[in-house]
Amino acid sequence: SQTIHQWPATLVQPVGSPLSLECTVEGTSNPNLYWYRQAAGRGLQLLFYSVGIGQISSEVPQNLSASRPQDRQFILSSKKLLLSDSGFYLCAWSKLGGTYEQYFGPGTRLTVT
Amino acid sequence: QQQVKQSPQSLIVQKGGISIINCAYENTAFDYFPWYQQFPGKGPALLIAIRPDVSEKKEGRFTISFNKSAKQFSLHIMDSQPGDSATYFCAASSRDFGNEKLTFGTGTRLTIIP
C-alpha cells in the first residue's frame, strides 16, 4: 500500500530564516506530487505540482519554491520566510494517468515569528 | 470559471440527523467530484467521489447527489454522529486542465451535537 510522509510535523521559524519541508511517497512510482497551503480555518491553496523529476509548475507567485530531486520526493523551500508564510502545509500525491484521487500527507504546521 | 462554491461555511446538526453540504460549479468540463474530510491538525482524507454519469453514489452513511443540469452536487451524511464532526471540502477536476489538478471549495465545518 502507499504511504506519504511529511516532516517536520511542526516548525517555528523566525522571519527571514530559510525553510525546507520534505515529502516522500512510498509504495508507488511516478506519482504526481502537490504542495498545498491551508491558512487557519481556510481552504486549500495549491502552491506547486509536479508530474516528474525536475518538472515543477507553480500555481501562485510567492516567496516559496519547490523541487523534486527524486521520483518520490518533493521539497518545499524558501530563502527568507515572511510572516504571511505561516500555515499548514500539505503534500499530496496522485497516480500518474490515474483517476484523479489525491491522497494527502499528515501536514506540517509552520509558524513564522 | 474554475471555482467551486461551497455552502454553508459551518453547520451544526443534532446526533442522528442528516447533514447536508452543497457545492456548485460553473465549468462543464469538470468530470470528477470528490469530497474530503479533514479533522483538526490532520491532512484531508478522501471520503467519497462521483463522476457525472451517475446522479447518486452511496457509501455507508455518506451519499453524494449530483445534478448535472444545475451544476450542483451535495454530500449527505445520514444518522450523523459526533465522530463526523470535521471540516468537509468538495472539489472538482477535469483532464482538460491537465495533471489532475483539483479545485477545492472553501470548506464546511460540521459539528454534531449529542
Side-chain angles (χ1 to χ4, degrees), chain A residues 51-94:
Chain A
V51 299
I53 295 174
Q55 301 180 60
I56 310 293
S57 296
S58 173
E59 287 294 295
V60 182
Q62 63 218 314
N63 184 40
L64 301 168
S65 62
S67 62
R68 185 171 177 174
Q70 300 180 42
D71 180 44
R72 290 170 292 173
Q73 184 185 31
F74 206 22
I75 296 173
L76 184 68
S77 303
S78 174
K79 292 182 179 178
K80 288 185 177 182
L81 283 169
L82 307 172
L83 283 174
S84 58
D85 292 324
S86 292
F88 192 45
Y89 288 82
L90 290 154
C91 181
W93 73 274
S94 69

Side-chain angles (χ1 to χ4, degrees), chain A residues 32 34 36 38 41-44 46 49 51 59 88 90 94-107 109, chain B residues 9 31-32 36 38 41-46 49 51 89 93-102 104-107 109:
Chain A
N32 293 322
Y34 308 83
Y36 290 86
Q38 187 174 31
R42 303 291 294 276
L44 296 156
L46 179 62
Y49 67 92
V51 299
E59 287 294 295
F88 192 45
L90 290 154
S94 69
K95 217 174 266 192
L96 181 66
T99 54
Y100 302 159
E101 289 89 353
Q102 286 188 21
Y103 302 95
F104 285 82
R109 174 77 58 193
Chain B
Q9 191 172 14
D31 59 2
Y32 171 72
Y36 283 82
Q38 185 180 29
K42 306 293 184 183
L46 179 63
R51 294 193 181 278
F89 293 95
S93 184
S94 165
R95 288 201 186 277
D96 287 354
F97 304 139
N99 307 311
E100 296 102 334
K101 289 191 291 182
L102 287 173
F104 283 89
T106 50
R109 181 173 291 183

Side-chain angles (χ1 to χ4, degrees), chain A residues 23-56:
Chain A
C23 169
T24 58
V25 180
E26 296 178 355
T28 189
S29 57
N30 303 315
N32 293 322
L33 295 171
Y34 308 83
W35 277 113
Y36 290 86
R37 177 169 59 202
Q38 187 174 31
R42 303 291 294 276
L44 296 156
Q45 179 186 33
L46 179 62
L47 302 176
F48 301 95
Y49 67 92
S50 171
V51 299
I53 295 174
Q55 301 180 60
I56 310 293

Side-chain angles (χ1 to χ4, degrees), chain B residues 1-71:
Chain B
Q1 198 180 17
Q2 291 196 37
Q3 278 189 330
V4 176
K5 296 183 180 179
Q6 184 172 346
S7 62
Q9 191 172 14
S10 62
L11 180 62
I12 299 174
V13 175
Q14 203 95 30
K15 178 183 175 182
I18 303 173
S19 303
I20 302 174
I21 304 170
N22 301 298
C23 285
Y25 63 96
E26 287 296 321
N27 197 319
T28 55
F30 285 142
D31 59 2
Y32 171 72
F33 303 89
W35 284 90
Y36 283 82
Q37 178 188 57
Q38 185 180 29
F39 293 106
K42 306 293 184 183
L46 179 63
L47 190 61
I48 187 172
I50 197 168
R51 294 193 181 278
D53 53 344
V54 296
S55 60
E56 186 175 282
K57 183 174 181 180
K58 185 176 181 179
E59 290 184 5
R61 296 185 294 109
F62 299 90
T63 300
I64 299 179
S65 297
F66 184 81
N67 186 328
K68 189 174 182 178
S69 60
K71 292 185 283 187

